[in-house]
Amino acid sequence: MKSSTFEMQFLGLIAVWFVVSAGSGCSIWSSGAWSESAFLPGSSEPSDEADQQPIAATHNSSTLTHQSRDSVSLAVEFRHVPSSELGESMWRSIDETVFDARVRQAWLTNGLRIGVLNQTETTGANPTGLDGDAQLDPVNELFAGAKILGGQPDGRKVIPLRPTRRHELPLAPALGDTETVLLQDTGGLMGRDLDAPQLLLALTAEKGPRHGQSKIQIRPEIQHGAVHQKFISSDTAVRIQAGRDRWELSELNLTWAAQPGATLVIAPVVQPSESEPTFGLGRQMLRDTDHLVDDQHIVAFLQIE
């Protein structure tokens, strides 16, 4: 009888443990979704303090706290570089032909340049003058080979991209005021007056057809206006989704299929002969407003780990 009672108590403890584990698992997965809660007002009532709060002050691009087995690790690094250093010498080590010519032209027309950094083997002498593993960093190698001075880093973040899930990567802080944003597409030049516009990439990752390969869908867009909240229901739960209005730049959409170690480079187009060496979205969205004297711009490096 005692043995039977003990077995019933033991089975009851196991059942309770399974219920607690299942509940905590749902909580972990739901908390891993992309969140902009850090930039939301504290209440639903509009206030001057909420209006003055910056939408994105840094490049802290992800709040994900876990990584699934099939997720793709994307390391993101930003450098602040004077426009005078962003000429052809840097692009000699970057392959732009990996993307379709029509898409590349759409980026170029709007003042943005994109390509994949050629991978090189570090042999013999240290070309960067750095010690340890720093000499193996592809960004440092690029800057050393192109003799680019400065290039102040803005931190390096690793984002776990979960398959088929949308992840948002801001390329620069949001502009503070209402701005007229111009876009050149196949229909001609169009413009919109947007409140606090911000250029970002909507990323969706999946495993590529080859072993170890990753395929990332990159959809540039400009988010603007105030943050809205809406309820999204499913068969199992109801969740709150927060976000701003989006202007999707569909003609700039591209697919990047790459092996681990590949590095994507996004930078402004430079025209040295012009009085303003950068133009379009490259100048309006990627110009560093804190360093206007030497006309610094933000250059983004995305590396698959």
Side-chain angles (χ1 to χ4, degrees), residues 79-91 111 113 143 148-151 267-279 282-283 286-288 291-299:
R79 297 289 183 102
H80 298 249
V81 183
S83 59
S84 58
E85 304 286 348
L86 294 175
E88 290 301 319
S89 60
M90 184 183 81
W91 288 92
R113 200 166 178 178
F143 280 19
I148 295 178
L149 302 177
V269 175
V270 174
Q271 298 177 327
S273 59
E274 301 294 332
S275 58
E276 291 186 349
T278 56
F279 65 94
R283 184 169 188 84
L286 298 185
R287 197 179 186 201
D288 187 350
H291 297 86
L292 298 180
V293 175
D294 53 353
D295 200 31
Q296 289 190 15
H297 288 67
I298 298 172
V299 180

Side-chain angles (χ1 to χ4, degrees), residues 27-236:
S27 175
I28 291 175
W29 281 106
S30 63
S31 66
W34 184 272
S35 172
E36 296 185 52
S37 59
F39 310 122
L40 297 177
S43 65
S44 58
E45 297 288 333
S47 66
D48 294 337
E49 182 178 357
D51 293 338
Q52 295 174 1
Q53 186 175 6
I55 293 172
T58 67
H59 287 117
N60 186 7
S61 53
S62 179
T63 58
L64 290 170
T65 57
H66 63 274
Q67 181 173 357
S68 68
R69 180 180 301 177
D70 297 327
S71 64
V72 177
S73 294
L74 184 68
V76 181
E77 181 175 349
F78 297 92
R79 297 289 183 102
H80 298 249
V81 183
S83 59
S84 58
E85 304 286 348
L86 294 175
E88 290 301 319
S89 60
M90 184 183 81
W91 288 92
R92 294 194 189 103
S93 301
I94 300 173
D95 184 7
E96 301 174 77
T97 62
V98 296
F99 300 112
D100 182 81
R102 178 185 57 82
V103 177
R104 295 201 317 269
Q105 186 58 43
W107 283 70
L108 291 170
T109 303
N110 288 284
L112 298 169
R113 200 166 178 178
I114 188 169
V116 175
L117 182 60
N118 293 326
Q119 295 182 347
T120 58
E121 297 292 336
T122 304
T123 58
N126 181 352
T128 62
L130 301 174
D131 296 329
D133 294 336
Q135 63 175 305
L136 303 177
D137 182 85
V139 179
N140 289 335
E141 289 188 358
L142 170 66
F143 280 19
K147 298 181 179 179
I148 295 178
L149 302 177
Q152 296 299 317
D154 194 18
R156 182 181 177 92
K157 302 290 182 181
V158 177
I159 309 173
L161 303 179
R162 291 173 54 194
T164 71
R165 291 289 298 271
R166 171 189 168 95
H167 303 269
E168 297 177 355
L169 174 63
L171 292 181
L175 302 181
D177 302 318
T178 299
E179 298 276 347
T180 300
V181 180
L182 300 177
L183 178 70
Q184 184 76 40
D185 61 11
T186 54
L189 184 65
M190 61 181 301
R192 294 185 183 181
D193 292 331
L194 304 178
D195 181 24
Q198 182 179 33
L199 179 63
L200 58 80
L201 304 179
L203 307 175
T204 306
E206 60 181 313
K207 294 295 183 181
R210 300 178 182 178
H211 177 71
Q213 188 183 62
S214 300
K215 187 164 64 173
I216 300 179
Q217 305 290 339
I218 300 176
R219 299 183 300 279
E221 62 186 35
I222 297 176
Q223 292 194 358
H224 58 94
V227 177
H228 307 290
Q229 295 185 7
K230 62 180 179 180
F231 293 91
I232 300 178
S233 61
S234 64
D235 295 337
T236 58

